[in-house]
Amino acid sequence: MDINYLYDINQFHIYYVEEIESTNTYLKEHYHEFPKPSVLIAKRQTKGRGRYDRVWVSDDGLIFSILFDKLYYNEIIAPIAISSVLKKYNINCGIKWPNDVYINGKKLSGILIENIYTNKLEASIVGIGINKDNKNNVLGIGLKDYLGDFNNIDLIKEIILKYQELLSYDFNKLLAIYKELSIVIGKRIIYKNKIYTASSIDEKGYLVIEDGINCYHISSDEISIKESIIGAVKK
Ligand code: BTN
């Protein structure tokens, strides 16, 4: 397995590998060997991982992980960066909390953020997978449907440039953009068999939900948001 340094995009050092188990797993084990921030792009993963130990399978998709040595508001920056770039191409996408990017009710992109601590933060790894081909793909959607054939690395470059811009924004500015792009905030959701209004996202990335009396901060995304209710119920 050869990891090649490609070039820098502003302060980001870009690396490329044809095949790897998982860009996140690799950076978790080798973060000390890379300058920060770095981006590791792969053509293929043999053991791509999703949240909750799920498998991430991607045919010819965009696969990359960004390595930082600080914590940023990555939970919201990452999906904003992806969505903003796609919107430039007139793709009508939105963010499903916490950080999935959806098009027409289908998941296009997933993000796996892993922070490594010893007695201090060692590394923060933001793994991004974006589907390209909709064939052999359980999610049933791919960017090819919208952009035709395109160069993966060029699109990743655009996302990194946007990411860089967003890193300088404060939380309130990011939150305002996130809310605009969200397909959950401002909508009704179902959590533990009760209906709430999802009103915001807090600085930890928790979803803020309200039932008219109380307000709760939900950290797990294993809440049952009923797609049929999202969008169907007015605020
Ligand atoms: C999810 O939706 O559950 C998150 C999926 C994250 C997939 C990306 S692909 C690049 C990076 N390497 C991995 O093994 N996973 C992330």
Side-chain angles (χ1 to χ4, degrees):
M1 184 187 67
D2 281 332
I3 294 184
N4 294 305
Y5 164 73
L6 293 185
Y7 39 66
D8 286 354
I9 300 176
N10 299 336
Q11 84 262 41
F12 289 86
H13 310 281
I14 314 296
Y15 295 83
Y16 179 81
V17 63
E18 283 280 315
E19 186 173 287
I20 197 165
E21 274 197 6
S22 149
T23 51
N24 262 46
T25 308
Y26 190 86
L27 289 178
K28 268 173 94 171
E29 289 163 1
H30 298 266
Y31 61 85
H32 44 276
E33 294 165 22
F34 289 83
K36 281 81 176 177
S38 282
V39 180
L40 178 57
I41 302 172
K43 187 167 167 58
R44 281 184 300 280
Q45 289 185 131
T46 51
K47 276 195 193 160
R49 295 186 293 113
R51 287 196 303 269
Y52 303 102
D53 285 330
R54 292 183 192 125
V55 179
W56 180 261
V57 183
S58 177
D59 273 357
D60 192 26
L62 277 69
I63 297 163
F64 60 111
S65 297
I66 313 174
L67 171 69
F68 295 104
D69 57 4
K70 286 195 198 83
L71 289 180
Y72 294 97
Y73 297 117
N74 289 316
E75 288 277 353
I76 55 181
I77 291 178
I80 293 175
I82 297 164
S83 305
S84 308
V85 169
L86 298 185
K87 288 223 175 248
K88 263 180 41 193
Y89 293 98
N90 293 322
I91 298 176
N92 187 15
C93 56
I95 304 170
K96 180 159 178 232
W97 179 78
N99 45 32
D100 291 337
V101 176
Y102 269 59
I103 303 179
N104 290 333
K106 288 185 178 163
K107 176 164 165 172
L108 176 83
S109 166
I111 292 160
L112 176 65
I113 298 176
E114 298 183 292
N115 298 324
I116 302 171
Y117 291 91
T118 50
N119 48 354
K120 62 172 181 42
L121 178 84
E122 298 288 344
S124 179
I125 299 160
V126 183
I128 299 179
I130 305 177
N131 288 309
K132 184 167 182 183
D133 207 325
N134 68 13
K135 292 181 202 73
N136 308 323
N137 170 352
V138 282
L139 304 172
I141 188 169
L143 264 190
K144 244 188 194 170
D145 303 341
Y146 300 86
L147 296 179
D149 221 353
F150 62 90
N151 182 289
N152 287 11
I153 296 189
D154 287 346
L155 197 64
I156 291 174
K157 253 193 226 169
E158 287 193 56
I159 295 169
I160 295 299
L161 283 171
K162 189 71 200 176
Y163 210 109
Q164 183 188 29
E165 181 192 328
L166 296 166
L167 286 174
S168 66
Y169 290 14
D170 66 23
F171 181 74
N172 287 334
K173 190 165 175 186
L174 290 169
L175 181 59
I177 305 171
Y178 182 98
K179 281 182 168 176
E180 286 278 307
L181 293 165
S182 174
I183 56 171
V184 174
I185 292 172
K187 303 275 169 48
R188 301 234 196 148
I189 62 140
I190 292 186
Y191 175 62
K192 293 190 175 165
N193 295 323
K194 271 185 68 183
I195 294 184
Y196 298 85
T197 300
S199 57
S200 192
I201 183 168
D202 71 15
E203 296 207 16
K204 289 184 187 151
Y206 290 8
L207 186 67
V208 184
I209 59 172
E210 294 171 14
D211 61 7
I213 304 164
N214 293 310
C215 166
Y216 307 90
H217 293 236
I218 305 297
S219 64
S220 160
D221 60 334
E222 295 298 276
I223 59 171
S224 53
I225 300 174
K226 287 232 170 35
E227 294 295 338
S228 55
I229 285 197
I230 292 174
V233 178
K234 290 210 170 68
K235 273 195 212 180

